[in-house]
Amino acid sequence: MTSKKKSTQKAKVLKLTGDLTISRGEEILSQLRDAFEKNREVCVSLQEVESMDLSFLQLLCSAHRTAAVEKKTIVLEHSAPEMFQRVVKQAGFKRRSGCAYSPDGTCLCNQGEE
């Protein structure tokens, strides 16, 4: 599992837009599942996101864990937007160490500011 900011040609780019909130949780989960169904690597783009909440972070974290178990990869397409970093911090998802589920110890929530 990696949280590198660049995608490979084999990665499926999942471009998420608008509000990534609990009201869209089922839709976002379905998009993540569909992306992983036929791809070993999924690259999530958050560049056109207007808002997000804790439920989105939980879905992203769950996708990261599931990908690790299935020997797949999920990455963020570009550096994490400021909004993502802010929500990670406010929700208490900011980690000082990597994810225990990730083979290389990285965490999607450790993007950007230190």
Side-chain angles (χ1 to χ4, degrees):
M1 194 68 44
T2 179
S3 62
K4 301 277 189 259
K5 298 173 188 168
K6 95 180 195 187
S7 81
T8 65
Q9 289 185 351
K10 296 178 185 176
K12 162 71 174 168
V13 176
L14 178 57
K15 186 176 182 180
L16 299 175
T17 63
D19 298 322
L20 306 182
T21 58
I22 196 162
S23 64
R24 289 189 56 210
E26 206 171 316
E27 173 192 348
I28 296 165
L29 176 60
S30 178
Q31 289 176 338
L32 286 164
R33 282 183 176 156
D34 289 347
F36 273 116
E37 193 172 294
K38 298 176 183 163
N39 301 281
R40 297 215 49 80
E41 182 176 344
V42 174
C43 182
V44 178
S45 173
L46 302 174
Q47 301 310 305
E48 295 183 30
V49 171
E50 295 173 18
S51 68
M52 64 181 67
D53 66 8
L54 173 62
S55 66
F56 172 70
L57 295 181
Q58 291 170 323
L59 284 173
L60 191 63
C61 189
S62 177
H64 183 242
R65 288 178 180 186
T66 301
V69 167
E70 296 178 359
K71 307 248 188 289
K72 295 185 178 187
T73 305
I74 185 168
V75 298
L76 296 182
E77 184 179 38
H78 301 288
S79 60
E82 184 180 322
M83 177 192 336
F84 177 81
Q85 294 172 31
R86 185 176 58 251
V87 172
V88 164
K89 188 174 182 180
Q90 289 172 344
F93 271 52
K94 190 74 174 158
R95 301 175 58 97
R96 294 196 182 274
S97 61
C99 176
Y101 294 93
S102 177
D104 64 2
T106 59
C107 176
L108 294 174
C109 291
N110 280 347
Q111 300 273 321
E113 73 177 42
E114 292 297 320

